[in-house]
Amino acid sequence: MIRWISPAALNRRGMLNMNRRNVSYIARYNERSAYPLVDNKLKTKLIAAEYDVSTPKLRQVVSQQHEISHFRERVEDLAGFAIKPAKGSGGKGIMVITGRDDDRFVKASGATVSLASLERHLSNILAGLYSLGGAPDVAIVEDLIQCSSTLTDFSFQGVPDIRIVVFRGYPVMAMLRLATRASDGKANLHQGAIGVGIDIASGQSLNAVQFNRPVSHHPDTGLALEHIHIQEWHTMLVMASRCYEATGLGYMGADLVLDQNSGPTLLELNARPGLAIQMANGKGLLPRLKYIEGLKRTHLTPEARVEYAMSVFSHTGALYTPPKKTSSSRVPA
Amino acid sequence: MKSRYPFYIAVALLIIAGLGLATLRHVELGIPWLSGDERPVWLVEARIDFQASGEPVLVSLNLPDNPPGFHVLSEQAASPGYGFSIIEEEGDRRGEWSIREASGAQTLYYKAQFVPDPDVRPPQPKKPPQPETIYWEEPQATAANEVLELAAAKSSTPESMTRELIKLIRSTDPNQNTALLLSGNRPVDVLSRLLNHADIPARISEGIMLEDARRRQPLRPFLQIYDGDSWLTFNPQSGEQGLPENVLLWNRDTTSLLDVMGGNQSVVSFAMLRQTVPALQLARAEAIDSGLGFLSLYQLPIEEQSMFRMLLLLPLGAMVVAFMRIVIGIRTSGTFMPVLIAVAFLQTSLLPGLVTFISVVTIGLLLRGYLSSLNLLLVSRISTLIILVIFMSTAISIVGYQMGFNTGMTVTFFPMVILAWTIERMSILWEEEGPHEVVVQGAGSLLVATLAYLLMDAPLARHLTFNFPELHLVILAIILLLGQYTGYKLSELRRFYPMKVYE
């Protein structure tokens, strides 16, 4: 049975839709010239490092076909690593190796793959199989994320990551993405991962959805999704906010993880973040975006912006009108 | 925030320009809005018979030139062995047949198509014609003067004078004077002389009554007088003023209708046929010499015309894709893949196209699955796939031909690249997102392609896009407006349905 919601009802909730996202936010606030920075994970890592945003340690870059033969010796002493296409999007072409089983490599799912199939994967990446438009690509090999124990339990196999939508440098909405059996250990919502809305003000979980339907418990681990609290929440928000200075992108999604050893780590940036975050939060993005658009002067430092966002975008606060004169007094000079 | 006004003004201008030009061309060139429109056309054939006397022959026939109420669509002469040319002298068109030697009965034909067009007016004389000087001999001179006095007494203008004269001449019981004038003369000649004598420029023009499928029709004389402004036509029999709609004035002025040198017993007779010609064909034939004709594609070589016929349908398909993706929110594989598939459908027609497309893509997906297990490089895999697709479409063509389906042949119209690329894209999609997404995007592409095909294949769409290329400005405007649509897609109303929970 097909169920519908009226456009008026969506408007009331301030749901951002794809057309408006594309026209009014991505096209207006994102410079095209900045796209390669986020579309290329290698460039993202380099620029993030400049702005004190930590990313997984880079082990190897395979950019030529003949370098593939050296791949083996260079990962010899690594127990786990992740192979990513630099220009891949939406998690395409990412292969996570968690260990060894004699000659074979163990994937996150537990299945093993041969060296040959890893090499073929690298070759596919170089040929541009996973890049936008099939452009030639490079493969990067990174250290595996050691997911913080506070979150591991909630995710089936894959590393849970936190998507924060950053608008003009202000974190406006966040969600935690948990892999499920259905999503094959990936944290992509449309593949069946669970999205858990996170309160900007507290880092506390709100409600959760899977396949756009509300859920209360993780279907694979059976854990309740109600009272998750993200550690080092403030640091994460500041890191996400810094990416605005790093890239200049006015509207983007920052994907972060909480590493056991190095704390909040940036996985990747996205210049065209999806809309499902609204479902996970049970709130539309529009009022918050309009609120930021209505600011007479924006805050200059990431810390100040995070401070401000935490004060106005709390889940409990009702936010429907852009700031008037009263709120401008809060903006520091 | 940038002002949107210039954008909307530009869009409005595009729409106005597109519709305006189309309307203008419709009015000016008569290009019909619908393809089925038909217009009457009169095919008139003048047949000249004479006996040649074994000498060089020169036949000269007066040809109609801008007859009021008609324009000439086409003309041609048929006459074996004769040279033919059309000569214009002093605003008079004459057709001339010539031959070095001819003897015996000769028949020459001149055929012309006339399109009724109420807007055609005869050209204004450059200088006002002067009445001819008429010489009468007694007792006609006295009779003429008396008749003119009688008519002048009852009239005030050249027109009323003419009417009165016609009444007098055509009167059932003619008085002595008119009887005298008419003896041995055609009434129309008498009228013309009388009028000229009365200082009213008058002439005799000849016309044919247009009636469908009539043969051996003679020309009928019409009396024309000049009222100081233009020539007015009178029926010398009834005195009716004005030229009846079904009369085609063949020659104006008193120049001879036919001159034959080197022959005798010459006769001209006319046959006519009412044809209906598709209005479009008419417009096309006329487009060449019309001011707005340069905007149409009719002057291009036929080969290019048929290419443009196809090319000009693409914007329609693009509009369908834009609408389906932006407003409805149907997912397709690739942005304009559906348009390309729809173009291929135009060649194969819908059902065979769908069947071949689905079967080739399905077989291709299976083969590609095998290829990827062979551990090949991507480039060589796609290349292999293209060759396999060629094999497959060849096989389908041969099998189709052997089984007697002509449609098998048309699969070759499916560009290989479309098929190979679709297969490659679909198989990547399969690996990454699973078969569900392949079905969703594949079905979405085919649905949009089918809709685009149905629109592009509509006779009206084919007619309008080719004959009114300026309507593409309107399509452009619509697509630009679609690009401004920031509302919810239809699919989002379903996607965001769970938001109802958070009321």
Side-chain angles (χ1 to χ4, degrees):
Chain A
M1 195 174 76
I2 298 175
R3 290 154 190 259
W4 305 95
I5 183 163
S6 71
L10 287 178
N11 268 331
R12 264 204 309 282
R13 290 172 184 77
M15 288 294 281
L16 179 65
N17 63 52
M18 191 171 289
N19 288 330
R20 177 168 281 191
R21 180 199 72 174
N22 292 345
V23 172
S24 305
Y25 294 99
I26 294 183
R28 189 175 299 163
Y29 290 101
N30 288 357
E31 288 283 338
R32 273 236 68 103
S33 57
Y35 277 39
L37 276 182
V38 293
D39 287 344
N40 188 328
K41 290 196 184 68
L42 198 53
K43 287 187 179 173
T44 312
K45 285 179 92 74
L46 299 177
I47 192 92
E50 278 180 43
Y51 286 82
D52 285 338
V53 177
S54 62
T55 56
K57 189 168 162 43
L58 183 65
R59 287 293 176 174
Q60 190 181 155
V61 178
V62 182
S63 53
Q64 302 285 330
Q65 198 72 29
H66 65 84
E67 290 171 357
I68 294 177
S69 50
H70 305 297
F71 167 74
R72 186 204 185 106
E73 49 199 76
R74 293 173 74 174
V75 293
E76 202 66 60
D77 50 343
L78 291 179
F81 55 88
I83 300 174
K84 297 178 179 175
K87 295 180 192 167
S89 63
K92 285 179 189 169
I94 295 179
M95 194 179 265
V96 178
I97 302 298
T98 52
R100 299 291 178 85
D101 183 6
D102 291 336
D103 258 3
R104 297 176 72 80
F105 295 86
V106 182
K107 287 209 289 186
S109 59
T112 63
V113 289
S114 64
L115 178 68
S117 87
L118 280 189
E119 287 178 345
R120 173 159 46 108
H121 188 69
L122 287 170
S123 158
N124 278 343
I125 290 174
L126 295 191
L129 184 57
Y130 305 103
S131 67
L132 281 170
D137 203 355
V138 298
I140 54 180
V141 181
E142 290 177 343
D143 262 1
L144 217 49
I145 300 288
Q146 299 298 324
C147 183
S148 158
S149 56
T150 53
L151 287 177
T152 346
D153 295 348
F154 288 102
S155 189
F156 179 78
Q157 294 171 344
V159 178
D161 71 359
I162 292 138
R163 153 73 55 95
I164 301 172
V165 171
V166 182
F167 181 53
R168 299 178 83 184
Y170 294 85
V172 289
M173 203 174 261
M175 73 169 158
L176 171 69
R177 296 188 297 191
L178 304 170
T180 62
R181 194 188 293 275
S183 74
D184 192 27
K186 295 200 174 95
N188 278 338
L189 252 57
H190 70 275
Q191 286 174 324
I194 291 175
V196 185
I198 301 291
D199 186 6
I200 288 281
S202 61
Q204 206 69 38
S205 70
L206 304 167
N207 37 282
V209 288
Q210 183 187 24
F211 287 121
N212 290 343
R213 301 280 178 274
V215 288
S216 56
H217 292 78
H218 194 290
D220 304 312
T221 61
L223 284 172
L225 303 166
E226 250 181 317
H227 298 295
I228 306 176
H229 180 253
I230 309 288
Q231 309 285 310
E232 301 192 56
W233 180 238
H234 187 264
T235 318
M236 279 199 173
L237 289 180
V238 172
M239 279 173 71
S241 182
R242 273 186 197 147
C243 293
Y244 173 61
E245 268 87 14
T247 62
L249 287 171
Y251 183 78
M252 67 179 156
D255 295 346
L256 299 114
V257 285
L258 198 54
D259 191 88
Q260 185 71 56
N261 309 315
S262 47
T265 306
L266 178 75
L267 270 190
E268 63 175 73
L269 292 174
N270 198 320
R272 314 162 192 83
L275 305 168
I277 193 168
Q278 304 175 99
M279 318 271 276
N281 278 271
K283 271 203 160 119
L285 267 167
L286 268 183
R288 298 187 182 192
L289 296 177
K290 286 196 171 146
Y291 190 90
I292 296 295
E293 278 186 311
L295 287 181
K296 287 230 168 60
R297 238 182 321 160
T298 52
H299 301 70
L300 290 175
T301 64
E303 287 76 12
R305 288 196 299 262
V306 166
E307 226 36 70
Y308 186 67
M310 287 175 91
S311 71
V312 292
F313 296 142
S314 124
H315 180 64
T316 45
L319 181 72
Y320 288 107
T321 47
K324 296 278 184 285
K325 279 167 194 153
T326 49
S327 60
S328 63
S329 59
R330 287 203 229 154
V331 181
Chain B
M1 196 173 135
K2 265 187 283 179
S3 168
R4 290 272 168 211
Y5 282 120
F7 173 79
Y8 286 118
I9 290 170
V11 166
L13 283 181
L14 279 177
I15 293 176
I16 291 168
L19 291 180
L21 262 179
T23 313
L24 196 63
R25 268 160 40 85
H26 169 71
V27 172
E28 285 288 306
L29 298 183
I31 303 175
W33 292 119
L34 302 172
S35 52
D37 257 10
E38 296 212 321
R39 296 282 159 78
V41 170
W42 287 97
L43 178 68
V44 179
E45 184 184 77
R47 173 186 166 138
I48 305 161
D49 289 290
F50 63 95
Q51 293 288 331
S53 46
E55 295 164 29
V57 174
L58 182 70
V59 177
S60 164
L61 176 74
N62 196 328
L63 301 183
D65 178 23
N66 287 324
F70 294 89
H71 62 249
V72 181
L73 180 60
S74 72
E75 54 183 348
Q76 66 186 88
S79 29
Y82 281 82
F84 177 76
S85 54
I86 291 173
I87 290 160
E88 282 202 62
E89 49 183 40
E90 292 167 23
D92 202 22
R93 282 171 85 238
R94 296 190 78 85
E96 283 198 354
W97 286 263
S98 51
I99 194 164
R100 175 66 59 190
E101 197 185 340
S103 57
Q106 304 283 314
T107 309
L108 304 175
Y109 293 99
Y110 166 82
K111 266 188 222 178
Q113 280 179 304
F114 295 93
V115 185
D117 184 347
D119 294 338
V120 175
R121 303 246 173 273
Q124 291 282 327
K126 283 194 188 92
K127 49 180 185 181
Q130 295 303 313
E132 286 169 48
T133 325
I134 305 292
Y135 299 99
W136 303 88
E137 282 174 29
E138 288 301 342
Q140 274 95 340
T142 321
N145 281 330
E146 280 180 26
V147 170
L148 282 175
E149 263 172 45
L150 208 57
K154 289 189 190 170
S155 62
S156 54
T157 59
E159 287 158 83
S160 50
M161 173 87 169
T162 310
R163 281 195 296 268
E164 285 307 317
L165 274 177
I166 293 174
K167 255 184 243 168
L168 282 172
I169 295 290
R170 304 300 304 180
S171 139
T172 41
D173 63 318
N175 66 25
Q176 212 181 336
N177 290 324
T178 53
L180 177 66
L181 289 171
L182 280 170
S183 64
N185 289 315
R186 284 198 300 169
V188 66
D189 291 324
V190 174
L191 282 167
S192 168
R193 284 170 68 88
L194 282 172
L195 284 164
N196 275 309
H197 189 62
D199 266 354
I200 298 169
R203 69 181 186 189
I204 301 165
S205 292
E206 290 175 298
I208 32 179
M209 304 283 285
L210 293 172
E211 273 178 272
D212 193 17
R214 297 298 291 266
R215 299 172 61 230
R216 305 252 161 204
Q217 292 293 298
L219 289 178
R220 289 164 198 234
F222 286 88
L223 183 67
Q224 289 191 310
I225 63 156
Y226 191 76
D227 70 345
D229 201 23
S230 60
W231 287 98
L232 303 174
T233 308
F234 291 87
N235 185 330
Q237 263 90 39
S238 61
E240 254 176 69
Q241 195 182 338
L243 192 65
E245 254 180 39
N246 63 338
V247 169
L248 172 74
L249 274 193
W250 190 272
N251 69 341
R252 299 191 294 262
D253 226 340
T254 46
T255 48
S256 67
L257 173 67
L258 177 70
D259 298 319
V260 178
M261 276 162 60
N264 49 30
Q265 296 175 40
S266 57
V267 180
V268 191
S269 61
F270 295 88
M272 65 214 73
L273 203 58
R274 186 179 189 272
Q275 301 174 313
T276 48
V277 170
L280 185 58
Q281 200 180 320
L282 206 60
R284 242 176 248 183
E286 288 165 9
I288 289 125
D289 37 52
S290 170
L292 275 169
F294 75 95
L295 262 178
S296 58
L297 299 158
Y298 311 137
Q299 284 105 316
L300 291 176
I302 299 293
E303 209 177 315
E304 267 154 56
Q305 284 196 26
S306 57
M307 191 194 72
F308 271 107
R309 211 171 266 278
M310 182 71 73
L311 207 60
L312 287 171
L313 285 172
L314 284 179
L316 277 184
M319 186 174 69
V320 172
V321 171
F323 180 80
M324 293 303 278
R325 286 178 61 115
I326 295 174
V327 179
I328 309 293
I330 285 183
R331 268 181 285 169
T332 61
S333 69
T335 316
F336 283 100
M337 186 78 103
V339 186
L340 297 179
I341 299 174
V343 169
F345 284 168
L346 283 179
Q347 307 268 13
T348 58
S349 83
L350 188 58
L351 216 58
L354 273 174
V355 170
T356 42
F357 185 81
I358 292 174
S359 52
V360 171
V361 169
T362 311
I363 300 171
L365 274 176
L366 296 176
L367 289 174
R368 197 234 173 239
Y370 172 67
L371 283 177
S372 71
S373 72
L374 279 182
N375 210 355
L376 293 174
L377 287 178
L378 180 75
V379 178
S380 72
R381 204 165 55 210
I382 296 183
S383 310
T384 316
L385 207 61
I386 287 181
I387 295 171
L388 285 176
V389 166
I390 293 173
F391 283 168
M392 275 188 282
S393 44
T394 314
I396 290 178
S397 285
I398 292 173
V399 170
Y401 181 72
Q402 296 291 344
M403 287 172 66
F405 297 124
N406 228 4
T407 49
M409 306 295 284
T410 52
V411 75
T412 48
F413 281 116
F414 261 115
M416 299 306 130
V417 180
I418 297 182
L419 284 170
W421 199 61
T422 308
I423 295 166
E424 187 61 33
R425 217 190 145 84
M426 292 283 186
S427 50
I428 293 172
L429 206 61
W430 192 303
E431 279 174 18
E432 287 174 356
E433 316 268 332
H436 179 251
E437 193 61 24
V438 172
V439 172
V440 167
Q441 290 198 9
S445 299
L446 281 184
L447 176 69
V448 175
T450 306
L451 289 176
Y453 162 82
L454 289 177
L455 181 62
M456 286 154 76
D457 195 46
L460 184 64
R462 283 170 175 267
H463 172 77
L464 288 180
T465 51
F466 183 72
N467 295 298
F468 295 98
E470 59 275 9
L471 286 181
H472 286 95
L473 295 178
V474 181
I475 295 184
L476 182 65
I478 293 173
I479 292 178
L480 285 175
L481 282 179
L482 277 177
Q484 286 288 299
Y485 177 71
T486 55
Y488 296 100
K489 300 178 185 193
L490 204 57
S491 62
E492 283 175 330
L493 298 185
R494 170 165 153 61
R495 179 188 174 190
F496 293 142
Y497 169 75
M499 290 301 287
K500 269 200 169 158
V501 181
Y502 306 116
E503 186 69 296

